[in-house]
Amino acid sequence: CREGLRMRHLVWFSCGAASAVTAKLAVEKYPHTAEILYCDTLAYEHYDNARFMSDVSRWSGEKSRF
């Protein structure tokens, strides 16, 4: 890592079970550098995805960024 830059571990969250588990594992393995990213497509997705994303944020201990 270059001087002055911090390492980041990015997880693409898609409101699916596999990406939810990946996000949880990444936060556990890299608690200070894991970031969960989500592309805001909720307007076009199933209405329950917003609830699921909220549940995953609480479960993983990390909020998603849009």
Side-chain angles (χ1 to χ4, degrees):
C1 186
R2 289 189 204 168
E3 189 175 321
L5 299 177
R6 72 177 185 103
M7 177 69 70
R8 294 167 53 191
H9 294 89
L10 306 177
V11 178
W12 182 263
F13 178 67
S14 65
C15 281
S19 64
V21 171
T22 301
K24 173 71 170 168
L25 293 173
V27 169
E28 288 176 353
K29 186 169 184 175
Y30 308 106
H32 303 294
T33 59
E35 297 180 44
I36 302 171
L37 305 175
Y38 176 74
C39 180
D40 188 4
T41 59
L42 288 176
Y44 307 104
E45 300 286 340
H46 191 274
Y47 67 90
D48 195 45
N49 280 0
R51 180 206 51 83
F52 184 68
M53 183 169 27
S54 177
D55 290 348
V56 170
S57 290
R58 281 193 308 280
W59 178 58
S60 70
E62 183 75 18
K63 291 188 176 182
S64 300
R65 290 195 313 163
F66 298 89

